[in-house]
Amino acid sequence: MRPEILFPLFAALEALPKVGPARAKLLAKLGLNSVVDLLWHRPVGLSEHRPRDSIADAVPGESAALRVTVEDHRAPDSPRHPWRVRVRDASGFLHLIFFHAKGDYIAKLLPLGEERVIAGKIEAFGVEKQMAHPDFVGGLESFTRATEPQPIYPMTAGITPKVLAALVEAALSRVMDLPEWADPPLVKARGWPVWADAVRALHHPQSEADLAPDNPARQRLAYDEILANQMALLLLREHHKRLTGRALAAAAQNGGILRAALRAALPFSLTNSQEQALAEIDADLASDKRMLRLLQGDVGSGKTVVALLTLAVAIEEGAQGALMAPTEILARQHAETIGPLADAVGLRVAILTGRDKGKPREALLARLAAGEIDLLIGTHAVFQEDVVFQDLAVAVIDEQHRFGVHQRLALASKGRGVDVLVMTATPIPRSLALTAYGDLDVSRLLEKPPGRKPIDTRALPLERLEEVVYAVGRAIQSNARVYWVCPLVEESELVDLAATTERAAALEQVFGPGIVGLVHGRLKAAEKDAAIGAFARGDLKILVATTVIEVGINVPEATIMVIEHAERYGLAQLHQLRGRVGRGGERSTCLLLYQAPLGEVARARLKILRESEDGFRIAEEDLRLRGSGEVLGTKQSGLPGFKLCDPIQQEELLLTARTDALNLLGKDPDLVSERGKAMRILLYLFERDAAARFLRAG
Ligand code: ADP
Ligand code: MG
């Protein structure tokens, strides 16, 4: 439960003066729902009003503070027009402009004939000067105050800067002293203020330097946030590890007979990376703690075979395994890859997807419950309640970011002490991996299977489409296979779908019937499979597709990838798409067709892609171009949204926080020491309640 000391910060915004339901709704648009949210609402700038002696001195474009006399009020002719208030001094006059204002408000704020201090941005209006919605209006005594730097906050329509500033002050008045959770020597060494002072300083910047990330108050708060994140992840991990797992003895013997047989049936030997990952996995499987491991490997790095050899250990022990894929196509592809190997060693494999219904499904479930299926490959359909294993021991989740954390847990609950391996091809940088997957142990496939030739990547404007079609024609004469990807953006799904269908028809016109296939998200699963199957067999030479082929499709014979409107894709997505070729021994080409003129970011993306095939480098660049939040869909990945910290830019803080959290947990695993108790408060302050609940009361 949230500690009482924090209650004032977790009151709803309605608890603050002048906030009713309507205003609360507007504030919610800014992500502000409770008092604490206001504390984290960081100023993004500083408005400084330059003191000016006269209206004549004030220059359009600058922010200025002036002493003036109110001369005239002019009401608007219609509600769409503004109030205009003329103010003057010895040097001249200017107009103050107020949209949607009430007359009595104007009369009270700027009484006729009175002297006032005004501050705000000076604009030119023809030869006149004006100031729309002054930032400040006050009596003559307030001139100094008007020139003090004021924080600028991210805003939304309907809330004025003044109102927001007042709310932040109200929130700050609730800030209390909290016990220190950070490591005292660290705080001292970095010259950080205590938490309460840091929050106050955050909202009272005195200069631009105070807005920079290396400002001590900002550093401290960023650290607090990341510390809460790391502590929460470590607690989750500890919790998971405390759950009883089961020791799979075969893992200690190189995976046992079944794995040896599978290895013998493989047409290749494993890379060092794959061996290394398997060794790490075996150590987990052999222990009586549960495995919770992430296998990270770029597209084509060979994760599937690692998954299979992992699952083999469960089966060797007489238990069952499950392999989960995010889409029907991928599940079928896994089944096809694994099928021949399974047959060779007498493994009983079945596939379960949303397409299985009625009697056949019942029969399959009966066999699963009776233990007559060793390995179940499936999609989300496996999570259904009536899918019961006889004895599930190991589960592998492919493309794990397409699944939620709760689904990972749901799968684990279908067996006893289930060991879980999750796999991702999204090559996220280490810092992001720590914040997103800090509760997982990580193995990485850094090396690709041998014999891969580099992919020749080129960018061409769409005007050169005809040349591309010609080149594709020549390539398929020498038996090449070609992916042709058309973009599918959600907002214009139908339009793009039409474009995809049209492209397929146009190519068919050129190359004749029976050569061009088409897959997109609107097709029935069986139709998709049929097209991909025909392409994989080589019956079809060109597969026109939307990004449904982005994830994991493996046709090693495909050597050409054409991407239309490449400028519309993110870098990571382009990399994934390109990863569909270059999977066999042949040289591959990727043609990025773009609509000119290219924007700066799009140009940068295409350049990086031409220069590099290294998924990790591409991910780093992607982050740089996009900012951390977007790399993985935040919701899908469970990537925590940071408000005060940027784990990419502030990796050093992240690593320090992780070490700090590990040290404290090492000494005080239940967080019952003085500092441990303070740490509990920190967890609740940053709303890591779920993790804090795993702690015993203390
Ligand atoms: P991904 O990591 O993208 O899921 P896959 O598991 O689909 O990659 O593997 C890509 C291709 O590489 C497959 O055709 C697979 O058979 C092949 N492969 C995997 N491991 C090796 C290896 N050690 N040597 C040669 N080829 C391999
Ligand atoms: Mg894969």
Side-chain angles (χ1 to χ4, degrees):
M1 253 197 359
R2 179 180 296 141
E4 241 178 87
I5 188 170
L6 292 179
F7 285 2
L9 300 184
F10 283 87
L13 289 178
E14 273 103 327
L16 298 180
K18 297 189 188 158
V19 183
R23 197 163 260 180
K25 227 169 141 183
L26 290 172
L27 290 164
K29 283 196 200 160
L30 287 169
L32 305 174
N33 298 299
S34 61
V35 174
V36 76
D37 296 332
L38 279 168
L39 298 183
W40 307 150
H41 196 59
R42 286 186 300 181
V44 289
L46 200 60
S47 82
E48 276 186 278
H49 298 110
R50 197 169 170 163
R52 286 293 191 185
D53 291 334
S54 71
I55 292 175
D57 288 347
V59 186
E62 76 175 3
S63 290
L66 294 161
R67 298 180 187 83
V68 295
T69 307
V70 182
E71 192 176 59
D72 182 36
H73 287 178
R74 190 153 350 125
D77 313 333
S78 86
R80 280 186 299 121
H81 292 126
W83 272 85
R84 296 168 66 80
V85 177
R86 193 166 66 228
V87 297
R88 88 156 45 245
D89 63 13
S91 75
F93 69 90
L94 65 72
H95 279 106
L96 302 176
I97 310 292
F98 296 88
F99 283 91
H100 310 297
K102 293 210 176 72
D104 49 351
Y105 165 77
I106 300 280
K108 234 166 81 189
L109 188 69
L110 294 152
L112 276 176
E114 298 274 321
E115 285 187 303
R116 280 288 179 271
V117 169
I118 57 165
K121 184 153 185 206
I122 308 286
E123 294 162 6
F125 185 70
V127 292
E128 293 182 6
K129 288 175 188 168
Q130 66 177 32
M131 182 187 289
H133 295 269
D135 301 329
F136 183 93
V137 177
L140 282 187
E141 76 291 348
S142 56
F143 192 71
T144 318
R145 188 145 58 86
T147 57
E148 275 168 11
Q150 296 297 319
I152 301 172
Y153 290 99
M155 299 299 299
T156 184
I159 303 279
T160 64
K162 210 168 140 187
V163 168
L164 192 59
L167 286 173
V168 169
E169 288 307 321
L172 285 175
S173 72
R174 290 177 170 233
V175 163
M176 65 293 281
D177 292 333
L178 293 176
E180 184 59 83
W181 45 73
D183 190 24
L186 178 76
V187 175
K188 194 156 170 256
R190 308 233 172 169
W192 286 344
V194 299
W195 174 76
D197 289 342
V199 192
R200 288 184 202 112
L202 177 70
H203 292 285
H204 298 135
Q206 297 303 309
S207 68
E208 290 290 329
D210 289 348
L211 299 170
D214 62 359
N215 164 272
R218 287 198 169 215
Q219 282 269 311
R220 150 127 224 172
L221 294 171
Y223 183 78
D224 290 343
E225 181 175 46
I226 198 93
L227 183 62
N229 161 267
Q230 289 301 303
M231 183 53 90
L233 288 168
L234 291 173
L235 287 172
L236 277 172
R237 185 164 88 166
E238 286 311 306
H239 171 74
H240 184 89
K241 289 202 163 151
R242 270 204 285 263
L243 297 175
T244 28
R246 59 206 270 185
L248 299 174
Q253 294 131 33
N254 255 327
I257 298 165
L258 189 55
R259 188 191 281 173
L262 283 168
R263 274 176 183 273
L266 285 174
F268 48 74
S269 51
L270 298 189
T271 63
N272 290 334
S273 270
Q274 286 168 322
E275 293 288 4
Q276 169 74 28
L278 266 184
E280 288 161 5
I281 289 166
D282 282 349
D284 291 350
L285 294 179
S287 100
D288 59 2
K289 302 239 171 84
R290 282 199 195 200
M291 172 167 75
L292 185 51
R293 182 169 289 277
L294 173 71
L295 178 62
Q296 214 188 356
D298 202 355
V299 286
S301 58
K303 294 185 292 295
T304 315
V305 64
V306 176
L308 179 61
L309 296 177
T310 299
L311 291 159
V313 174
I315 301 159
E316 176 92 21
E317 300 268 318
Q320 292 165 299
L323 173 58
M324 306 293 300
T327 65
E328 170 113 27
I329 295 181
L330 269 189
R332 295 210 174 271
Q333 187 179 287
H334 281 323
E336 269 159 41
T337 320
I338 289 171
L341 290 166
D343 289 346
V345 303
L347 251 176
R348 296 165 299 176
V349 178
I351 175 162
L352 178 69
T353 72
R355 213 196 296 172
D356 299 296
K357 301 234 158 65
K359 283 259 155 59
R361 179 172 180 276
E362 272 169 38
L364 187 152
L365 293 187
R367 287 198 298 139
L368 186 70
E372 292 162 20
I373 292 170
D374 301 315
L375 170 56
L376 184 66
I377 299 173
T379 59
H380 292 78
V382 174
F383 297 124
Q384 285 159 349
E385 225 167 278
D386 60 346
V387 177
V388 177
F389 290 79
Q390 188 202 41
D391 183 16
L392 178 66
V394 177
V396 178
I397 303 178
D398 195 8
E399 304 295 344
Q400 79 96 33
H401 61 282
R402 302 265 181 130
F403 295 94
V405 172
H406 58 286
Q407 287 173 320
R408 192 168 89 197
L409 296 174
L411 194 60
S413 71
K414 284 189 182 286
R416 178 170 60 82
V418 179
D419 287 310
V420 177
L421 178 71
V422 301
M423 309 201 292
T424 182
T426 311
I428 54 175
R430 175 182 150 81
S431 51
L432 210 52
L434 275 183
T435 52
Y437 305 125
D439 60 331
L440 309 180
D441 296 307
V442 180
S443 295
R444 280 177 153 194
L445 299 181
L446 292 172
E447 179 190 5
K448 290 202 180 170
R452 300 272 159 86
K453 302 234 166 54
I455 300 169
D456 182 12
T457 302
R458 297 181 209 181
L460 302 163
L462 269 168
E463 288 95 71
R464 292 174 61 186
L465 187 72
E466 264 179 47
E467 275 170 61
V468 173
V469 173
Y470 179 74
V472 162
R474 295 215 347 201
I476 59 178
Q477 290 206 323
S478 46
N479 226 9
R481 253 168 272 169
V482 182
Y483 290 108
W484 191 299
V485 180
C486 299
L488 190 59
V489 224
E490 229 165 88
E491 310 90 72
S492 60
E493 194 180 343
L494 285 177
V495 180
D496 283 327
L497 205 51
T500 312
T501 317
E502 238 169 69
R503 176 62 64 223
L507 291 173
E508 192 157 280
Q509 280 275 312
V510 178
F511 298 118
I515 302 245
V516 183
L518 175 63
V519 283
H520 55 71
R522 290 279 174 104
L523 287 185
K524 293 217 179 71
E527 295 170 312
K528 268 189 244 173
D529 290 353
I532 291 171
F535 182 66
R537 283 191 307 274
D539 296 345
L540 293 173
K541 304 291 184 208
I542 303 177
L543 193 64
V544 178
T546 57
T547 51
V548 293
I549 66 149
E550 170 194 350
V551 177
I553 287 189
N554 186 30
V555 179
E557 294 82 4
T559 52
I560 298 180
M561 165 64 68
V562 180
I563 304 175
E564 266 191 64
H565 284 290
E567 78 281 357
R568 291 202 205 161
Y569 298 89
L571 199 43
Q573 204 177 12
L574 288 170
H575 177 63
Q576 288 278 332
L577 285 169
R578 178 173 61 178
R580 299 306 108 214
V581 296
R583 307 191 135 232
E586 297 293 315
R587 268 197 85 84
S588 293
T589 308
C590 175
L591 299 174
L592 305 166
L593 294 179
Y594 62 85
Q595 178 84 64
L598 276 179
E600 206 174 307
V601 172
R603 184 181 301 278
R605 279 195 200 123
L606 300 189
K607 179 163 178 285
I608 293 158
L609 220 56
R610 285 204 318 274
E611 286 171 1
S612 178
E613 270 186 68
D614 173 352
F616 286 96
R617 159 146 192 242
I618 288 173
E620 301 267 2
E621 297 288 348
D622 202 21
L623 276 179
R624 227 174 29 76
L625 291 173
R626 293 203 293 175
S628 55
E630 279 181 63
V631 171
L632 311 163
T634 300
K635 273 193 216 112
Q636 291 170 344
S637 65
L639 185 74
F642 287 94
K643 293 173 180 152
L644 304 166
C645 179
D646 181 341
I648 306 303
Q649 303 297 332
Q650 298 177 298
E651 185 169 352
E652 187 272 331
L653 274 189
L654 162 66
L655 297 177
T656 309
R658 187 164 180 85
T659 312
D660 196 8
L662 277 168
N663 284 344
L664 180 60
L665 274 183
K667 281 183 273 183
D668 178 18
D670 295 314
L671 299 185
V672 289
S673 63
E674 276 308 299
R675 218 189 127 204
K677 282 185 198 149
M679 188 67 78
R680 287 175 182 238
I681 294 176
L682 176 72
L683 286 169
Y684 283 102
L685 183 62
F686 283 99
E687 299 177 64
R688 311 286 180 192
D689 300 28
R693 261 185 236 117
F694 289 132
L695 290 163
R696 267 165 269 160

